[in-house]
């Protein structure tokens, strides 16, 4: 498949440290890509470079062959949306007003009513429409995260009036969510990818990452150490090398896969939640 977004030999330095080190990546339209790795691996920095928020110290990024740095900000806002790990708002906006930020200044030929409808539809899809008139600052962390998911959904929908090929960047989007909304957010993103949207997400939950991604991107110390389908990119050996844990193979059918700290040869005792696969992290 032809690459929509390409990164060639990108590196990023800050404070004398190399946060991203000589990474080559390409993303095809309609692909669902998940970046994994331990803390400090450079995952969030990589996303910020790919979406144009940070300029790489070296290397280049191209969008359909066009240098990313040459794309005007207004056009880039139609091509991609970014949901960061946390978004602080110090103004007493309502939930509807926060979602509407995604459609302000985005889109062509849209009336005020069109923009309001896009924001309301996005709130409905993110399961926060019932909070539309609530003060954003009064919400829980998980509710706020769902509101920002609605904001980026609305932005992408408005942007489609000008740009059909788009990318959604998600940086730890499920960190504050309960299980129902974790699965919902990933299912919505997965469906959008099946409809042609390119998704690049950072996740720490390896079970959900493996069950959702078309491809995993494994980062360690700023370097790309593996990329591919989950069963090929996240082998037991790579788990030990990158995350410092190892797989313990199941015995009887009732015995689940477990993860144990590297260096410990005794499997951890099964927990009440062990049936969830990678629950013993």
């Amino acid at each position: 498949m032809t690459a929509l977004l390409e990164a060639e030999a990108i590196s990023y330095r800050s404070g004398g440290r190399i946060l991203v080190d000589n990474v080559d990546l390409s993303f095809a339209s309609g692909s669902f890509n998940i970046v994994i790795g331990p803390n400090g691996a450079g995952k969030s920095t990589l996303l910020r470079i790919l979406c144009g928020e940070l300029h790489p110290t070296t290397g280049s990024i191209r969008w359909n062959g066009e240098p990313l740095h040459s794309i005007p900000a207004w056009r880039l806002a139609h091509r991609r949306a970014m949901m960061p790990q946390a978004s602080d708002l110090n103004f007493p906006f309502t939930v509807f007003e926060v979602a509407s930020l995604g459609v302000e200044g985005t889109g062509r030929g849209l009336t005020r009513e069109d923009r309001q409808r896009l924001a309301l539809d996005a709130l409905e899809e993110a399961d926060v429409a019932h909070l539309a008139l609530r003060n954003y600052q009064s919400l829980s962390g998980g509710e706020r995260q769902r509101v920002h998911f609605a904001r980026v959904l609305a932005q992408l929908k408005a942007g489609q009036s000008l740009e059909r090929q788009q990318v959604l960047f998600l940086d730890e989007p499920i960190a504050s969510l309960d299980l129902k909304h974790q699965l919902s957010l990933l299912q919505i993103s997965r469906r959008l990818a099946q409809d042609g949207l390119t998704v690049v997400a950072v996740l720490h939950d390896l079970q959900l990452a493996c069950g959702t991604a078309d491809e995993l991107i494994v980062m360690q110390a700023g370097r790309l150490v593996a990329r591919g389908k989950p069963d090929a990119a996240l082998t037991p050996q790579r788990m030990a090398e990158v995350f410092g844990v190892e797989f313990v193979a199941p015995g009887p059918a009732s015995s689940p896969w477990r993860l144990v700290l590297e260096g410990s040869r005794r499997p951890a005792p099964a927990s009440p939640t062990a049936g969830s696969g990678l629950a013993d992290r």
Side-chain angles (χ1 to χ4, degrees):
M1 298 178 67
T2 303
L4 170 63
L5 185 64
E6 298 175 278
E8 182 178 356
I10 59 171
S11 296
Y12 185 79
R13 296 174 180 265
S14 179
R17 296 177 58 238
I18 301 176
L19 303 183
V20 173
D21 188 5
N22 197 36
V23 170
D24 292 302
L25 283 171
S26 62
F27 302 95
S29 294
S31 61
F32 196 112
N33 311 270
I34 295 182
V35 185
I36 61 173
N39 292 338
K43 304 182 298 296
S44 295
T45 303
L46 176 65
L47 243 64
R48 293 174 68 191
I49 295 170
L50 292 173
C51 77
E53 182 180 334
L54 295 177
H55 294 286
T57 305
T58 59
S60 62
I61 301 173
R62 294 181 298 277
W63 189 295
N64 270 341
E66 183 180 1
L68 183 64
H69 65 80
S70 70
I71 302 174
W74 68 268
R75 184 173 287 277
L76 195 58
H78 290 75
R79 294 186 178 184
R80 61 95 176 97
M82 171 70 168
M83 180 179 168
Q85 290 186 38
S87 299
D88 293 327
L89 288 174
N90 296 318
F91 299 96
F93 290 143
T94 66
V95 165
F96 174 74
E97 288 170 333
V98 174
S100 296
L101 293 174
V103 299
E104 292 300 328
T106 307
R108 172 182 290 176
L110 299 177
T111 66
R112 173 55 55 184
E113 289 73 21
D114 291 334
R115 296 180 190 279
Q116 290 176 344
R117 174 49 52 191
L118 291 177
L120 288 171
D121 288 347
L123 288 171
E124 187 71 38
E125 191 160 23
D127 194 25
V128 281
H130 61 291
L131 303 175
L133 299 181
R134 282 270 302 274
N135 185 323
Y136 170 83
Q137 294 174 319
S138 72
L139 303 183
S140 70
E143 289 170 334
R144 292 184 183 193
Q145 206 149 7
R146 283 150 54 198
V147 172
H148 283 290
F149 185 52
R151 175 182 56 78
V152 296
L153 291 178
Q155 179 185 341
L156 290 171
K157 195 65 176 179
Q160 285 179 359
S161 61
L162 187 66
E163 297 282 350
R164 299 302 301 176
Q165 290 185 302
Q166 298 176 309
V167 181
L168 173 59
F169 295 98
L170 302 168
D171 192 1
E172 283 297 331
I174 64 173
S176 299
L177 302 184
D178 56 43
L179 180 58
K180 172 186 173 181
H181 291 104
Q182 287 181 4
L183 297 176
S184 176
L185 186 149
L186 292 175
Q187 288 166 353
I188 291 169
S189 301
R190 181 72 192 174
R191 174 177 53 78
L192 292 173
Q194 291 171 343
D195 291 340
L197 178 72
T198 302
V199 179
V200 185
V202 169
L203 289 187
H204 274 297
D205 190 310
L206 300 184
Q207 183 175 357
L208 290 177
C210 290
T212 307
D214 293 323
E215 288 196 325
L216 292 181
I217 296 164
V218 186
M219 298 285 293
Q220 182 182 26
R223 297 186 300 275
L224 174 66
V225 297
R227 180 179 187 179
K229 294 188 179 299
D231 58 352
L234 199 60
T235 62
Q237 179 180 353
R238 189 161 289 120
M239 283 288 299
E241 293 171 350
V242 175
F243 293 95
V245 297
E246 64 181 70
F247 276 115
V248 178
S254 61
S255 178
W257 285 93
R258 294 193 298 273
L259 295 175
V260 295
L261 294 177
E262 187 179 35
S264 172
R265 313 320 271 177
R266 181 189 301 175
S271 71
T273 58
S276 61
L278 301 184
D280 299 333
R281 285 189 307 228

